[in-house]
Amino acid sequence: MSSEIEETGSHLLATLQIELDPALLDLALTHRSYSYEHGGIPTNERLEFLGDSILGQAVTVMLYTTFTDLDEGALAKRRASLVSTVALAEIARAIGLGEYIKLGRGEELTGGRDKASILADTVEAIIGATYLDQGPDVATALVLRLVAPLANDPLRFGVSMDPKTSLQELANRLGLEVPVYVLEESGPDHQKTFVATVTIAGPTPVVATGTGSSKKQAESGAAAAAFALLGASAGADQA
């Protein structure tokens, strides 16, 4: 691995507050589109598989021990919200993960660095790599740091589960217009990219976008982003 890649990776590791073998980090950041264009080198998909399991276990234990008054159904909903593609993509964006991912040219040109599925999969791959290199305790601690901003905000549970409904309910509570979505698509039929833009009209219009490999994913991402903007604006108005 080149010194340039190692230096770039060190910035990400500092953000994540972990140590990781450079080669393993490089693997965790390698998307399959990059592999296809570079002779079929290994991708992060196996690490993603492992990380998904570690993520689920860590979040399950955290919720069980923290929310002792919640029944099984409520715990299951909270877990689903914290490990969802929308939630993991939000976590990835917060730490600037997209800029580090190794993508093929096609994904690069179609907004792959902000595609929710790619971001979420890469978060899971990094968790898997951390487990292999640093062990279960460090991997669990990483998971808890990553999900803490969402887990500590009860509004986020509903948003992660159903962003569009949550946004519409918030807009209604604030006396605003119904959110309106506009969808654009690009790419070949077998690998389309969708970009959704949601607008809430008003004295100060709220506009947000989301990207995904499906219409639902793009609109959910846009709704989650708009909810965050609208919630922050409402909080500032009340301050």
Side-chain angles (χ1 to χ4, degrees), residues 56-138:
Q57 181 183 44
V59 169
T60 297
V61 173
M62 181 272 289
L63 291 173
Y64 181 87
T65 56
T66 302
F67 300 98
T68 56
D69 57 331
L70 296 182
D71 62 21
E72 177 189 2
L75 290 172
K77 288 181 179 179
R78 293 198 174 207
R79 177 178 61 191
S81 73
L82 291 176
V83 303
S84 70
T85 296
V86 170
L88 293 179
E90 183 176 347
I91 289 169
R93 293 185 184 106
I95 61 176
L97 182 59
E99 65 180 282
Y100 298 98
I101 301 174
K102 298 173 69 174
L103 295 174
R105 180 172 172 78
E107 282 290 357
E108 186 80 64
L109 294 175
T110 56
R113 293 194 184 281
D114 193 52
K115 191 175 292 185
S117 59
I118 292 177
L119 290 171
D121 290 347
T122 307
V123 170
E124 291 178 336
I126 289 175
I127 293 169
T130 302
Y131 178 89
L132 290 179
D133 193 58
Q134 298 292 315
D137 291 343
V138 174

Side-chain angles (χ1 to χ4, degrees), residues 196-226:
T197 301
V198 60
T199 303
I200 303 175
T204 305
V206 174
V207 181
T209 61
T211 304
S213 55
S214 69
K215 296 178 181 178
K216 180 179 179 181
Q217 197 173 76
E219 290 183 346
S220 293

